[in-house]
Amino acid sequence: MTEEMMPRIGAAIELSVRGDREAAREQFTELWAETTDPLHRCMIAHHLADQQEDVREELRWDLVALELASSITDERPTEVGSIVPVRAFYPSLHVNLGDAYRRAGELSLAREHLDLGLAAADALADDEYGRLIKTGLARLAHELESA
C-alpha cells in the first residue's frame, strides 16, 4: 500500500472546497474503488457524503464513514502524517450525521448524533480544525433547538 492516496484525497477535497461538487464526487468515487484501507475509505466516504444531492445518499455515505472509523487503529493516522488522532474524527462524523438527519426530518436521530458529537468533542485540539467542528456542533444544536 502506498501513501500516494493522501495527496489524491486532498486534491479531491480541494475540488469540493472550490465548489466543483461534480468533479469532486467523480474523483472520490474513483478513489473509493482504488483502496480498501479503512483510513482512506473513511476519509473518502466522509467527504463523498458532502457531494451528494440527495440527503439519503449523504446519510448512507456518512454512516459508511462512521462504521469505517471504528476499524482504524490509533497508529494509522500518524503513519500517513496526520496529527489528528482517530478519536478526533468522531465529532465531525457525528455533526455531519446529525445535520443530515435534521435535514431529512429525523430529529431524534439528529439529536442523538449531536449528543455523541458533543461527548466526543474533548478529543478536538484548540486549533482551526477543532474550532470548525465545535462551531458546527453549536450550529446544529441551535438548529435543533429551533426545530
Side-chain angles (χ1 to χ4, degrees):
M1 170 183 8
T2 66
E3 291 311 332
E4 68 184 34
M5 185 63 68
M6 294 303 288
R8 294 176 64 205
I9 292 170
I13 292 170
E14 184 60 33
L15 287 171
S16 172
V17 169
R18 288 192 311 227
D20 193 345
R21 292 178 70 188
E22 184 175 334
R25 185 172 46 248
E26 289 174 15
Q27 188 65 35
F28 284 126
T29 301
E30 289 174 20
L31 294 170
W32 177 265
E34 292 179 27
T35 185
T36 59
D37 180 86
L39 173 66
H40 296 154
R41 283 194 144 206
C42 178
M43 294 177 69
I44 292 165
H46 184 52
H47 291 283
L48 186 54
D50 295 336
Q51 310 314 310
Q52 303 306 310
E53 301 293 332
D54 181 300
V55 72
R56 294 290 170 195
E57 266 307 285
E58 181 177 348
L59 279 166
R60 184 177 75 80
W61 283 108
D62 280 333
L63 289 166
V64 167
L66 181 62
E67 182 179 336
L68 285 163
S70 67
S71 64
I72 300 170
T73 65
D74 289 338
E75 298 78 29
R76 184 66 181 123
T78 56
E79 292 172 359
V80 297
S82 174
I83 59 170
V84 178
V86 174
R87 60 189 178 84
F89 291 10
Y90 285 93
S92 180
L93 294 169
H94 287 297
V95 76
N96 281 13
L97 275 161
D99 183 57
Y101 277 126
R102 179 193 61 79
R103 288 182 285 116
E106 297 187 40
L107 300 184
S108 177
L109 287 169
R111 288 184 181 92
E112 180 180 323
H113 283 282
L114 171 62
D115 291 343
L116 290 167
L118 290 169
D122 66 336
L124 296 169
D126 186 22
D127 58 10
E128 185 177 347
Y129 174 76
R131 287 186 294 275
L132 174 72
I133 302 307
K134 288 176 183 176
T135 298
L137 288 164
R139 184 181 62 247
L140 179 57
H142 176 73
E143 289 168 346
L144 288 171
E145 286 172 8
S146 303

